[in-house]
Amino acid sequence: MRNPARRHQALALAMILPSVLLALWIIGYPILDVTRTSLHAVTRFGQLRGFVGLENFSALLDDPVFLASLWRTLVWTVCVVGGTLLISVPLALMLNDDFAGRGLARVIIMLPWAISLTMNAIVWRWTLNGQYGMLNATLFELGVLDGPVEWLASAGTAFPIEIGIGILVSIPFTVTILLGGLSSLPGDIYEAARLDGAGGWQRFRHLTLPLLRPFVNIAIVLNIIYVFNSFPIIWVLTQGDPANSTDILVTYLYKLAFRYGKLDAAAAMSLVMFLVLLAFTIFYAWLLARSREAEA
């Protein structure tokens, strides 16, 4: 008679194998197709020409707009994710407390998440319009401005504004993750800490942060992947202009493929973006493993 444990394992493998193969096909085929495209010369109509090897990648490294977009993407990602965490942690702590109107406060915090990024960006574009935008009108009425300011006409003002909007629309998702983590923390350890005379900062530093770290790690990884590939905010507000000065990788990729017709360069660039995110994920997983080993 066959071993029941092995029989159950074989049955479980047979049940999940189709799903695994489908997932590998869905994920693997686009990667293989993009890799093949990046190694060929491609017409603007998508027809593969001759094999060119790594020439498309070499051309990217010689492209100053690509290098500037890569650096700007790193700044964009670090600033948006870092700013989001700095604001979301205290917000989640406040919303986790029991106070009158907490439900309404949570709804208000979640409102930007209920609206698509494109709609958010369109509203902000109207608000920041230099001629009839609400921001200029409000600042003029308050006496802060003497005349209209074209907020999106230069990278010096446009890019910081886009970072601020990116933080604003990322807060609801991050707060939701952190609230889920806070609601799972045991209350008895906090009561014991209060009885031992621990203050609010001490409880936060020695109890809340260590216990909340897995949820913070999840928020960091998901936000980096999400923000790194975020397209609507910058595209709707400035389309990466003026003169590509607010482009990040994903907006410049769109321009290469659909505005300039350089599908081979766009394929090489999309593969670079995939490898950057893959390298980050592996590196961050390694750091987490090292920190767990150190704690053990």
Side-chain angles (χ1 to χ4, degrees), residues 205-216:
R205 181 182 176 185
H206 298 291
L207 291 177
T208 303
L209 272 184
L211 293 173
L212 201 60
R213 186 178 300 170
F215 299 93
V216 173

Side-chain angles (χ1 to χ4, degrees), residues 35 91 101 111 135 223 231 281:
T35 302
L91 270 178
L111 278 179
L135 179 60
N223 271 320
F231 177 82
T281 304

Side-chain angles (χ1 to χ4, degrees), residues 1-176:
M1 185 176 179
R2 294 183 60 185
N3 190 331
R6 291 184 178 179
R7 185 175 181 180
H8 287 306
Q9 289 176 356
L11 181 60
L13 180 62
M15 292 178 65
I16 66 172
L17 187 60
S19 300
V20 172
L21 292 176
L22 180 61
L24 289 175
W25 172 257
I26 293 174
I27 297 171
Y29 176 75
I31 295 174
L32 291 175
D33 187 60
V34 168
T35 302
R36 182 171 67 98
T37 304
S38 68
L39 299 175
H40 289 76
V42 184
T43 69
R44 65 184 304 116
F45 302 106
Q47 295 177 328
L48 296 183
R49 295 301 187 187
F51 179 80
V52 296
L54 300 178
E55 286 185 14
N56 291 321
F57 296 93
S58 177
L60 277 182
L61 294 178
D62 293 333
D63 184 358
V65 178
F66 167 75
L67 296 177
S69 299
L70 177 60
W71 169 248
R72 203 174 295 114
T73 302
L74 297 177
V75 174
W76 157 263
T77 305
V78 170
C79 290
V80 172
V81 175
T84 300
L85 281 175
L86 287 176
I87 297 174
S88 297
V89 170
L91 270 178
L93 290 172
M94 287 188 291
L95 292 175
N96 191 55
D97 289 336
D98 191 11
F99 60 89
R102 183 177 68 168
L104 178 61
R106 288 188 174 188
V107 170
I108 293 174
I109 291 295
M110 299 304 162
L111 278 179
W113 201 15
I115 306 172
S116 71
L117 278 181
T118 302
M119 289 303 300
N120 265 300
I122 289 173
V123 170
W124 278 106
R125 184 174 179 178
W126 280 87
T127 302
L128 296 165
N129 187 280
Q131 301 302 318
Y132 46 80
M134 186 174 64
L135 179 60
N136 272 349
T138 302
L139 294 178
F140 182 77
E141 289 293 330
L142 294 174
V144 178
L145 296 179
D146 296 327
V149 175
E150 294 289 346
W151 300 99
L152 302 178
S154 69
T157 55
F159 195 59
I161 286 173
E162 290 167 340
I163 289 175
I165 296 172
I167 292 173
L168 179 66
V169 300
S170 301
I171 287 174
F173 173 71
T174 309
V175 168
T176 301

